[in-house]
Amino acid sequence: MRTLVIGSGGREHALVYGLSLDPSVSEVHAAPGNAGIAELATCHPLSVTSAEDTVALAKDIGAELVVIGPEVPLVAGVSDALRAAGFAVFGPSQAAAALEGSKAFAKEVMAAAGVPTARAQQLLPGDEDVDAALDNFGPTYVVKDDGLAGGKGVVVTADRDAARAHAEAVLAAGNPVLLESFLDGPEVSLFCLVDHGTVVPLLPAQDHKRAYDNDEGPNTGGMGAYTPLPWLPAGGVERIVAEIAEPVAAEMVRRGTPYQGLLYVGAAWGAEGPQVVEFNARFGDPETQAVLMLLESPLGEVLGAVARGTLAEQPPLRWRDGYAATVVVAAENYPAAPRTGDAITGEGLSEPTAVLHAGTARDDAGRLVSAGGRVLCAMGAADTLADALAQAYENADAISLDGSFTRRDIGARAVAGDITV
Ligand code: GLY
């Protein structure tokens, strides 16, 4: 099977690596890819929001499966153009990807499907009275840019002035704002393969979204993750599937816009169980890097079954025992204005089980250099979570990148038994 992966981050490196291990996959292509992906796949230049260019590339390659990594091409309708041209695509249609593209739409679907989530109020550009709306919430205030912001459009704060300032800045940029009630409880990222009404969960994971230790600093795309979750109550995954993913999948079928791809359920586990914080229409980054490390089933077959509408006929997924973890090595000044172009040296840079590449490139001299905010994902897998994390940190510490930083407390609360539900 000739496969094409769209995207250029750590998630796509994990997908490319997983596909390269599947004996049924004969060729792996990626567009645009990164320096790590280029060691495993044939990379092609591509503007990922161009449906026309993506279809042309898929035709050139003779792709038998196209896997779309990031949300931007999904929300732009690239999967629809590929399907219309006859390609098998892992990734929802534009109409279904609106579950991520518009938080207000996601709320409407959840209300129709009876799915528990935070109370919300939308503000539109031109709405003057942000203060009156804030009176209905908080503290803690949750203020979201109601569009795609790469995980960085959300401000969660007890500081009313900061909440108002973020809402006003988003409105001034011409985007709607969603104010939400704060959901208490530890967060779970549960990735579900969804093919119309069929839902198959992957292992549950936890991300660390703030830039610095102890959950301080600005929101980022994610600074590190581990899987599975030792603190999740027995039957926790089944509850998220039954109470959230399956009703949403059924509602999308009922609306005539069935979901076919990966539904990322971001849930907070509060006193009454799971409540939705957000949906994403694609694999999460960096959780995917950890989750796929434990997957034993052949990735091409699994993703291909979703793309071809035969997920219900697949055997159950097989998983390795133990835990996996990933720690992000971020560039100086991430997430505000990451510095790029710095040389990367060290060990494990060509071993996907040790390091996955996120924002990397080769410069004119062929040197490996940073090319994004999240630069590398150091990986670990072991029988215990503590050992998996120790291995990920050992791999992170074997890398040298001027000005870079990592959080030092990924998974630490889970190892200490400090997370309770
Ligand atoms: N890890 C957060 C995200 O992928 O959106």
Side-chain angles (χ1 to χ4, degrees):
M1 176 165 53
R2 283 182 299 278
T3 57
L4 169 60
V5 175
I6 306 297
S8 60
R11 164 186 53 212
E12 286 76 24
H13 195 185
L15 289 165
V16 162
Y17 178 54
L19 289 171
S20 75
L21 299 177
D22 181 339
S24 75
V25 172
S26 55
E27 288 177 31
V28 188
H29 295 259
N34 62 34
I37 291 173
E39 295 186 18
L40 299 171
T42 308
C43 289
H44 305 265
L46 180 71
S47 161
V48 298
T49 50
S50 168
E52 199 183 336
D53 292 354
T54 309
V55 169
L57 176 62
K59 280 185 181 160
D60 264 7
I61 291 167
E64 291 156 293
L65 171 65
V66 183
V67 180
I68 300 183
E71 63 275 20
V72 173
L74 293 167
V75 170
V78 170
S79 53
D80 304 77
L82 285 162
R83 283 199 182 94
F87 292 100
V89 185
F90 183 88
S93 66
Q94 183 175 42
L99 281 174
E100 174 167 2
S102 166
K103 292 169 181 62
F105 173 75
K107 289 285 179 195
E108 182 197 315
V109 170
M110 282 187 269
V115 166
T117 185
R119 186 169 53 79
Q121 179 177 345
Q122 194 186 42
L123 298 175
L124 297 172
D127 284 348
E128 295 297 322
D129 212 346
V130 173
D131 258 314
L134 284 172
D135 284 344
N136 300 327
F137 297 90
T140 302
Y141 302 97
V142 180
V143 185
K144 295 183 173 178
D145 184 337
D146 189 17
L148 295 182
K152 288 160 244 160
V154 182
V155 165
V156 181
T157 179
D159 177 345
R160 189 173 168 117
D161 291 341
R164 186 193 310 105
H166 183 59
E168 286 173 350
V170 173
L171 292 169
N175 294 335
V177 163
L178 209 67
L179 300 180
E180 287 189 357
S181 57
F182 178 65
L183 293 178
D184 218 355
E187 287 194 18
V188 183
S189 301
L190 186 69
F191 302 160
C192 296
L193 302 166
V194 178
D195 170 15
H196 296 73
T198 303
V199 175
V200 175
L202 308 188
L203 292 179
Q206 188 175 53
D207 189 12
H208 296 65
K209 293 208 174 95
R210 301 281 185 155
Y212 312 131
D213 286 12
N214 302 316
D215 292 330
E216 287 174 8
N219 257 336
T220 69
M223 291 297 292
Y226 63 94
T227 184
L229 307 178
W231 48 265
L232 196 66
V237 166
E238 290 75 8
R239 270 193 76 177
I240 296 173
V241 168
E243 295 173 23
I244 298 170
E246 286 179 343
V248 165
E251 175 63 16
M252 296 305 281
V253 170
R254 193 191 67 74
R255 289 172 180 239
T257 52
Y259 200 97
Q260 221 173 347
L262 195 291
L263 180 66
Y264 169 140
V265 178
W269 198 286
E272 276 145 42
Q275 290 197 283
V276 174
V277 175
E278 63 172 351
F279 288 130
N280 292 311
R282 36 83 190 167
F283 281 101
D285 190 339
E287 301 98 308
T288 298
Q289 289 85 310
V291 169
L292 291 187
M293 249 193 137
L294 297 182
L295 181 70
E296 275 185 349
S297 302
L299 185 64
E301 253 177 52
V302 172
L303 302 184
V306 176
R308 283 182 268 279
T310 58
L311 181 63
E313 294 151 36
Q314 281 291 300
L317 294 178
R318 286 180 285 108
W319 297 98
R320 229 159 265 142
D321 289 337
Y323 293 83
T326 182
V327 173
V328 169
V329 178
E332 183 173 322
N333 262 330
Y334 176 71
R339 196 172 100 183
T340 58
D342 288 301
I344 306 166
T345 55
E347 288 167 34
L349 293 164
S350 293
E351 291 168 42
T353 52
V355 180
L356 290 165
H357 290 224
T360 68
R362 297 266 167 204
D363 68 8
D364 291 343
R367 284 184 325 158
L368 185 65
V369 294
S370 57
R374 291 187 292 176
V375 182
L376 298 159
C377 300
M379 307 299 303
D383 290 343
T384 67
L385 178 55
D387 287 350
L389 287 160
Q391 197 186 95
Y393 276 112
E394 199 177 306
N395 288 327
D397 293 340
I399 296 163
S400 176
L401 169 62
D402 261 7
S404 65
F405 69 99
T406 57
R407 270 184 68 156
R408 302 305 305 187
D409 64 344
I410 302 302
R413 291 190 58 223
V415 170
D418 275 353
I419 304 181
T420 48
V421 296

